[in-house]
Amino acid sequence: MIYQHEWELTQLLMEGLMQNDDLRLLGPGLGKPRTGIVSFVSGQYSSSELAFRLDREYGIAVRAGYHCTPLAHMASDTEQTGAVRVSVGVTTTQEDISVMLTAMKEIYS
């Protein structure tokens, strides 16, 4: 039940982020088994800049950087940029996902 909740919200988040051509999502694609962690990189903004803006302008907590996984970043070709990591958990709601996607749209507008 918890996995299903997180997976559905993760899919919703991924679908919304994929609408932005500047973002490249990392990890398994839509419909694939995965945890509630979505990492992405931007061609326009550094991961730290996006994380800072999400925090300061929207009150959204994400992580930026290398997430203690240098080999994963080498495999994803993100060792120079790091990534933004969003975590979906048991207490995450559809409204939380909507707020995140709205914030990203505003940052890129």
Side-chain angles (χ1 to χ4, degrees):
M1 185 126 185
I2 292 173
Y3 174 80
Q4 187 66 29
H5 169 79
E6 291 178 358
W7 187 84
E8 288 173 2
L9 292 179
T10 298
Q11 298 302 298
L12 186 63
L13 175 62
M14 290 173 60
E15 287 171 1
L17 291 174
M18 291 171 70
Q19 300 303 308
N20 185 329
D21 292 336
D22 184 62
L23 301 179
R24 178 170 61 99
L25 275 63
L26 307 175
L30 281 173
K32 306 284 184 179
R34 63 180 300 143
T35 65
I37 298 199
V38 178
S39 296
F40 61 90
V41 294
S42 167
Q44 184 174 347
Y45 299 104
S46 70
S47 60
S48 58
E49 183 176 5
L50 274 176
F52 181 81
R53 290 191 66 187
L54 287 166
D55 176 49
R56 294 301 171 123
E57 296 173 26
Y58 301 95
I60 298 172
V62 297
R63 297 288 302 207
Y66 300 100
H67 318 298
C68 302
T69 58
L71 294 178
H73 284 282
M74 288 174 62
S76 300
D77 194 29
T78 57
E79 63 265 64
Q80 299 299 315
T81 62
V84 175
R85 182 181 73 196
V86 182
S87 298
V88 175
V90 68
T91 61
T92 304
T93 65
Q94 285 187 344
E95 182 179 347
D96 294 329
I97 301 300
S98 178
V99 168
M100 171 66 181
L101 295 175
T102 298
M104 290 296 290
K105 285 180 186 174
E106 289 178 6
I107 288 171
Y108 278 90
S109 62

